[in-house]
Amino acid sequence: MIEFTNQEKKSLIAINAEKILHATEQSRSLINNNIGYADGVGAVWALKKKGFNNSIKIPGCELWLDIVGRYYKSRSFYLVGSTEEVILQTVKKLRSEFPGIHLAGFRNGYIKTEDEKNTLLFDIVTKKPDVVFVAMGSPKQELLMQEMQQKHKAIYQGLGGSFDVFIGNVKRAPHWWVKNNLEWAYRLIKQPSRIKRQIQLLLFIFNLLLGKY
Protein backbone atom coordinates (compact mmCIF):
# COMPACT_ATOMS: atom_id res chain seq x y z
CA MET A 1 0.00 0.00 0.00
CA ILE A 2 2.77 2.42 0.91
CA GLU A 3 4.65 1.70 -2.32
CA PHE A 4 1.46 2.14 -4.36
CA THR A 5 0.82 5.49 -2.68
CA ASN A 6 4.39 6.52 -3.40
CA GLN A 7 3.96 5.69 -7.09
CA GLU A 8 0.59 7.40 -7.42
CA LYS A 9 1.46 10.49 -5.32
CA LYS A 10 -2.06 10.79 -3.94
CA SER A 11 -3.68 11.42 -0.57
CA LEU A 12 -4.32 8.66 1.95
CA ILE A 13 -7.77 9.20 3.41
CA ALA A 14 -8.97 7.33 6.48
CA ILE A 15 -12.48 5.89 6.29
CA ASN A 16 -14.57 4.98 9.32
CA ALA A 17 -18.23 4.42 10.15
CA GLU A 18 -18.87 8.09 10.86
CA LYS A 19 -17.50 9.19 7.49
CA ILE A 20 -19.54 6.57 5.65
CA LEU A 21 -22.69 7.53 7.55
CA HIS A 22 -22.30 11.21 6.73
CA ALA A 23 -20.80 10.85 3.26
CA THR A 24 -21.44 13.65 0.77
CA GLU A 25 -20.75 14.00 -2.93
CA GLN A 26 -17.69 16.03 -2.01
CA SER A 27 -16.30 13.47 0.43
CA ARG A 28 -16.98 10.59 -1.98
CA SER A 29 -15.19 12.47 -4.74
CA LEU A 30 -12.17 13.10 -2.50
CA ILE A 31 -11.91 9.40 -1.64
CA ASN A 32 -12.53 8.16 -5.18
CA ASN A 33 -9.81 10.43 -6.56
CA ASN A 34 -7.32 9.36 -3.92
CA ILE A 35 -6.63 6.27 -1.78
CA GLY A 36 -9.06 5.40 0.99
CA TYR A 37 -8.22 2.92 3.72
CA ALA A 38 -10.29 1.37 6.52
CA ASP A 39 -9.27 3.22 9.66
CA GLY A 40 -12.21 1.88 11.66
CA VAL A 41 -13.85 -1.50 12.19
CA GLY A 42 -17.10 -0.15 10.70
CA ALA A 43 -15.38 0.43 7.37
CA VAL A 44 -13.99 -3.12 7.48
CA TRP A 45 -17.47 -4.55 8.10
CA ALA A 46 -18.85 -2.54 5.17
CA LEU A 47 -16.11 -3.80 2.84
CA LYS A 48 -16.61 -7.41 3.89
CA LYS A 49 -20.34 -7.08 3.31
CA LYS A 50 -19.46 -6.03 -0.23
CA GLY A 51 -17.41 -9.18 -0.67
CA PHE A 52 -13.93 -7.88 0.16
CA ASN A 53 -13.28 -10.60 2.72
CA ASN A 54 -9.57 -9.88 3.11
CA SER A 55 -10.19 -6.33 4.31
CA ILE A 56 -8.33 -5.30 7.44
CA LYS A 57 -8.26 -2.29 9.69
CA ILE A 58 -5.28 0.04 9.16
CA PRO A 59 -5.02 2.58 11.99
CA GLY A 60 -3.88 5.92 10.61
CA CYS A 61 -1.91 6.60 13.81
CA GLU A 62 0.24 3.57 12.90
CA LEU A 63 0.33 4.00 9.13
CA TRP A 64 2.00 7.41 9.15
CA LEU A 65 4.80 6.09 11.35
CA ASP A 66 5.25 3.12 9.00
CA ILE A 67 5.69 5.64 6.18
CA VAL A 68 8.21 7.63 8.22
CA GLY A 69 10.07 4.46 9.14
CA ARG A 70 10.32 3.38 5.52
CA TYR A 71 11.39 6.69 4.01
CA TYR A 72 13.00 8.87 6.69
CA LYS A 73 16.52 8.15 5.44
CA SER A 74 15.79 9.15 1.86
CA ARG A 75 12.73 11.45 1.73
CA SER A 76 11.68 14.80 3.12
CA PHE A 77 8.64 15.42 5.30
CA TYR A 78 6.34 18.33 6.09
CA LEU A 79 3.98 18.41 9.09
CA VAL A 80 0.84 20.50 9.52
CA GLY A 81 -1.60 20.31 12.41
CA SER A 82 -2.56 20.37 16.05
CA THR A 83 -1.46 23.10 18.49
CA GLU A 84 1.92 24.80 18.49
CA GLU A 85 2.93 22.88 21.61
CA VAL A 86 1.93 19.51 20.18
CA ILE A 87 3.59 20.06 16.79
CA LEU A 88 6.84 21.10 18.49
CA GLN A 89 6.79 18.00 20.72
CA THR A 90 6.03 15.86 17.67
CA VAL A 91 8.98 17.27 15.77
CA LYS A 92 11.27 16.74 18.77
CA LYS A 93 10.20 13.11 19.17
CA LEU A 94 10.48 12.37 15.45
CA ARG A 95 14.04 13.69 15.42
CA SER A 96 14.84 11.55 18.44
CA GLU A 97 13.29 8.31 17.14
CA PHE A 98 14.33 8.74 13.50
CA PRO A 99 17.86 10.22 13.56
CA GLY A 100 18.66 12.20 10.45
CA ILE A 101 15.03 12.65 9.39
CA HIS A 102 14.66 15.54 6.96
CA LEU A 103 11.80 17.78 8.05
CA ALA A 104 11.33 20.31 5.28
CA GLY A 105 8.92 22.31 7.43
CA PHE A 106 6.13 22.25 9.97
CA ARG A 107 3.44 24.45 11.46
CA ASN A 108 0.38 24.21 13.70
CA GLY A 109 -3.07 23.54 12.32
CA TYR A 110 -4.64 26.88 13.22
CA ILE A 111 -4.78 28.45 9.78
CA LYS A 112 -7.12 31.35 10.36
CA THR A 113 -6.83 33.48 7.23
CA GLU A 114 -6.52 33.06 3.48
CA ASP A 115 -3.09 34.71 3.67
CA GLU A 116 -1.89 32.09 6.17
CA LYS A 117 -3.11 29.31 3.92
CA ASN A 118 -1.46 30.83 0.86
CA THR A 119 1.80 31.21 2.79
CA LEU A 120 1.63 27.51 3.67
CA LEU A 121 0.91 26.52 0.06
CA PHE A 122 3.82 28.65 -1.13
CA ASP A 123 6.11 26.99 1.41
CA ILE A 124 5.01 23.53 0.23
CA VAL A 125 5.66 24.45 -3.40
CA THR A 126 9.03 26.00 -2.53
CA LYS A 127 10.35 23.19 -0.32
CA LYS A 128 8.81 20.32 -2.33
CA PRO A 129 8.49 17.73 0.48
CA ASP A 130 8.05 14.10 -0.54
CA VAL A 131 5.53 13.38 2.22
CA VAL A 132 3.06 15.74 3.89
CA PHE A 133 1.10 14.87 7.04
CA VAL A 134 -1.94 16.99 7.88
CA ALA A 135 -3.53 16.59 11.33
CA MET A 136 -6.53 18.89 11.44
CA GLY A 137 -9.60 16.65 11.52
CA SER A 138 -12.07 15.91 8.73
CA PRO A 139 -13.08 17.28 6.33
CA LYS A 140 -10.76 20.24 6.86
CA GLN A 141 -7.57 18.24 6.44
CA GLU A 142 -8.80 16.49 3.28
CA LEU A 143 -9.81 19.77 1.66
CA LEU A 144 -6.44 21.32 2.49
CA MET A 145 -4.61 18.28 1.12
CA GLN A 146 -6.60 18.60 -2.09
CA GLU A 147 -5.40 22.18 -2.50
CA MET A 148 -1.84 21.15 -1.74
CA GLN A 149 -2.00 18.31 -4.28
CA GLN A 150 -3.00 20.79 -6.96
CA LYS A 151 0.14 22.79 -6.21
CA HIS A 152 2.64 20.04 -5.46
CA LYS A 153 2.48 16.28 -6.04
CA ALA A 154 3.52 14.22 -3.02
CA ILE A 155 2.28 11.58 -0.60
CA TYR A 156 -0.33 13.18 1.64
CA GLN A 157 -2.03 11.68 4.68
CA GLY A 158 -4.69 13.12 6.95
CA LEU A 159 -3.96 12.23 10.57
CA GLY A 160 -6.72 13.65 12.77
CA GLY A 161 -5.37 13.44 16.33
CA SER A 162 -2.39 11.17 15.60
CA PHE A 163 0.22 13.70 16.73
CA ASP A 164 -1.37 13.66 20.21
CA VAL A 165 -1.25 9.86 20.22
CA PHE A 166 2.40 9.90 19.12
CA ILE A 167 3.59 12.18 21.92
CA GLY A 168 1.44 10.45 24.55
CA ASN A 169 -1.23 13.09 25.13
CA VAL A 170 -3.84 10.54 24.08
CA LYS A 171 -3.47 6.89 25.10
CA ARG A 172 -4.48 4.14 22.68
CA ALA A 173 -6.40 1.12 23.88
CA PRO A 174 -4.38 -1.87 25.13
CA HIS A 175 -3.56 -4.56 22.57
CA TRP A 176 -6.45 -6.90 23.54
CA TRP A 177 -9.05 -4.22 22.88
CA VAL A 178 -7.48 -3.31 19.54
CA LYS A 179 -7.11 -6.95 18.46
CA ASN A 180 -10.79 -7.65 19.18
CA ASN A 181 -12.05 -4.52 17.39
CA LEU A 182 -13.14 -2.94 20.67
CA GLU A 183 -10.92 0.13 20.64
CA TRP A 184 -14.05 2.28 20.25
CA ALA A 185 -15.48 0.78 23.46
CA TYR A 186 -12.26 1.39 25.40
CA ARG A 187 -12.20 5.02 24.28
CA LEU A 188 -15.84 5.42 25.32
CA ILE A 189 -15.06 4.07 28.79
CA LYS A 190 -12.14 6.47 29.10
CA GLN A 191 -14.03 9.38 27.51
CA PRO A 192 -17.79 9.12 28.26
CA SER A 193 -18.24 12.43 26.42
CA ARG A 194 -17.74 10.44 23.19
CA ILE A 195 -21.16 8.82 23.61
CA LYS A 196 -22.71 11.00 20.89
CA ARG A 197 -20.07 9.84 18.40
CA GLN A 198 -20.49 6.20 19.37
CA ILE A 199 -24.24 6.43 18.82
CA GLN A 200 -23.25 7.17 15.23
CA LEU A 201 -21.54 3.77 15.11
CA LEU A 202 -24.74 2.05 16.25
CA LEU A 203 -26.72 3.93 13.60
CA PHE A 204 -24.14 2.88 11.00
CA ILE A 205 -24.44 -0.80 12.04
CA PHE A 206 -28.24 -0.57 11.80
CA ASN A 207 -28.02 0.87 8.28
CA LEU A 208 -25.40 -1.73 7.32
CA LEU A 209 -27.71 -4.55 8.39
CA LEU A 210 -30.48 -2.99 6.32
CA GLY A 211 -28.21 -3.14 3.29
CA LYS A 212 -27.90 0.62 2.82
CA TYR A 213 -24.13 0.39 2.22
Side-chain angles (χ1 to χ4, degrees):
M1 178 181 177
I2 294 175
E3 286 301 325
F4 178 74
T5 306
N6 181 46
Q7 293 170 9
E8 294 295 313
K9 296 292 189 295
K10 291 187 175 182
S11 297
L12 286 161
I13 300 179
I15 304 173
N16 56 29
E18 194 172 358
K19 286 184 180 178
I20 296 173
L21 187 64
H22 299 295
T24 64
E25 288 300 320
Q26 183 184 56
S27 65
R28 291 189 188 98
S29 176
L30 282 170
I31 294 169
N32 290 336
N33 289 319
N34 289 284
I35 301 171
Y37 64 95
D39 182 55
V41 64
V44 174
W45 291 340
L47 286 168
K48 288 186 175 181
K49 198 168 188 299
K50 292 289 186 180
F52 298 97
N53 296 319
N54 293 326
S55 300
I56 60 171
K57 178 182 173 183
I58 305 174
C61 60
E62 296 176 8
L63 179 59
W64 82 283
L65 292 174
D66 289 340
I67 293 173
V68 172
R70 179 168 299 194
Y71 293 128
Y72 80 96
K73 293 182 179 180
S74 59
R75 308 293 173 84
S76 60
F77 299 83
Y78 201 109
L79 278 61
V80 181
S82 201
T83 64
E84 187 70 15
E85 180 181 2
V86 169
I87 194 72
L88 289 175
Q89 289 183 49
T90 299
V91 167
K92 182 179 180 181
K93 188 173 181 181
L94 282 173
R95 286 173 171 162
S96 173
E97 294 192 3
F98 301 94
I101 186 172
H102 179 197
L103 296 176
F106 60 88
R107 65 148 295 153
N108 65 56
Y110 291 86
I111 303 171
K112 299 177 181 179
T113 67
E114 196 69 17
D115 284 344
E116 286 187 349
K117 184 177 71 174
N118 290 335
T119 297
L120 171 60
L121 293 174
F122 179 78
D123 204 39
I124 292 289
V125 171
T126 301
K127 294 178 178 176
K128 295 180 171 56
D130 298 300
V131 184
V132 182
F133 296 117
V134 184
M136 297 170 68
S138 296
K140 192 174 182 180
Q141 63 190 18
E142 284 81 18
L143 294 173
L144 180 59
M145 289 191 299
Q146 183 181 43
E147 289 194 61
M148 289 176 171
Q149 279 280 22
Q150 292 170 352
K151 301 285 186 180
H152 170 65
K153 295 296 181 183
I155 296 174
Y156 290 83
Q157 184 186 357
L159 295 183
S162 294
F163 291 162
D164 284 284
V165 175
F166 179 58
I167 66 173
N169 279 358
V170 174
K171 301 295 183 182
R172 287 197 70 194
H175 178 71
W176 183 89
W177 294 79
V178 176
K179 181 181 178 181
N180 289 280
N181 294 319
L182 291 170
E183 190 168 6
W184 61 272
Y186 179 85
R187 294 179 69 184
L188 179 59
I189 292 170
K190 292 295 183 179
Q191 295 177 273
S193 60
R194 293 178 59 88
I195 185 63
K196 290 183 179 179
R197 292 191 64 181
Q198 300 307 343
I199 288 174
Q200 300 294 308
L201 178 59
L202 295 176
L203 180 57
F204 167 80
I205 294 171
F206 179 72
N207 287 338
L208 187 64
L209 292 174
L210 290 177
K212 292 186 176 182
Y213 304 120

